Amino acid sequence: MKLTKFTHACVRLEKDSRVLVFDPGTFSETDQALAGADAVLITHEHADHVDVDAVAGALLGSAALELYAPEAVAATLRSKAPDAGGRIHVAAAGEDFETAGFSVRTFGGQHALIHPQIPVVANVGYLVDDNVYHPGDSFAIPDGVDVKTLLVPIHAPWNKVGEVVDFVIGVRAPHAFPIHDALLNDMGRGLIEGHVTRIGAKYGSEYRHLSSGDSVEV
């Protein structure tokens, strides 16, 4: 598969001329990410993970585009794009399905805690083709599988560096790449990625920085 990182949490996968997109949010280059997409996976309802207007437009613009998301996101998109309602599916943890030629397993179920006064929302992590795992806004470690390619939320209002490192250690994927990094400047990114790279390597995980627009084969 070809994996392309966009700004923040948005990632595009391409395989056999089919395209799957994770979390095209308002911080991301949604038009580029969604161009020609066959399937979209949304982890949760926050705007930095789903640009509702852009995704609704993509659903209305392509009669073949399928979307999977937690119930609240699915409901919002059905109201925005009612003609596409049959292609908008509710996703929850503990499911297996196929879409656009990709196999998908779901994990987690809950967004990480930001603050006790901020409501916790549903969050679904997706493992695609037993290879690429996007956890959304959580550090939920998939059980019963060996992740090959881990997408690591390296900075967020809900995490700290030690938790990021422990997530990488816990999953122990051979390859790891950053997501959820739009709020970092270069100095902060270098500090966090230095820790993840150094400590992750002790546990067999090779971390590699990707900038927006970079692609790798996974």
Side-chain angles (χ1 to χ4, degrees):
M1 282 187 290
K2 179 183 177 182
L3 181 155
T4 302
K5 175 181 167 35
F6 291 91
T7 300
H8 204 53
C10 182
V11 173
R12 176 180 169 114
L13 300 179
E14 299 175 54
K15 181 189 73 171
D16 298 333
S17 300
R18 308 299 296 276
V19 176
L20 181 149
V21 178
F22 295 107
D23 281 4
T26 55
F27 294 175
S28 307
E29 302 83 359
T30 52
D31 289 345
Q32 294 177 43
L34 291 169
D38 298 289
V40 177
L41 305 180
I42 305 295
T43 62
H44 66 285
E45 65 193 62
H46 292 159
D48 58 325
H49 291 257
V50 55
D51 183 333
V52 170
D53 290 337
V55 173
L59 285 163
L60 293 173
S62 170
L65 182 60
E66 302 280 335
L67 180 136
Y68 295 79
E71 186 172 3
V73 183
T76 298
L77 288 168
R78 287 193 189 108
S79 70
K80 286 277 189 177
D83 291 346
R87 293 180 281 114
I88 299 172
H89 311 284
V90 173
E95 298 178 344
D96 295 82
F97 57 88
E98 292 195 5
T99 183
F102 297 87
S103 64
V104 182
R105 299 180 68 180
T106 58
F107 296 90
Q110 180 175 295
H111 190 289
L113 180 68
I114 302 172
H115 187 273
Q117 295 188 39
I118 298 175
V120 173
V121 300
N123 181 94
V124 176
Y126 298 97
L127 177 67
V128 175
D129 284 355
D130 289 326
N131 183 349
V132 179
Y133 180 57
H134 192 309
D137 278 9
S138 81
F139 288 136
I141 295 177
D143 57 286
V145 298
D146 293 321
V147 175
K148 299 178 179 66
T149 306
L150 178 64
L151 302 176
V152 184
I154 62 170
H155 178 262
W158 48 268
N159 74 28
K160 62 183 181 181
V161 175
E163 294 171 330
V164 176
V165 172
D166 284 345
F167 179 60
V168 173
I169 289 173
V171 178
R172 299 197 184 195
H175 304 285
F177 302 101
I179 56 171
H180 218 280
D181 53 355
L183 301 183
L184 282 172
N185 61 24
D186 289 342
M187 289 184 291
R189 182 179 292 104
L191 187 152
I192 295 170
E193 290 190 329
H195 290 312
V196 173
T197 301
R198 185 181 72 260
I199 301 173
K202 295 180 179 181
Y203 297 86
S205 188
E206 180 185 5
Y207 178 87
R208 176 178 167 186
H209 171 78
L210 294 179
S211 297
S212 179
D214 287 349
S215 298
V216 293
E217 293 292 328
V218 298

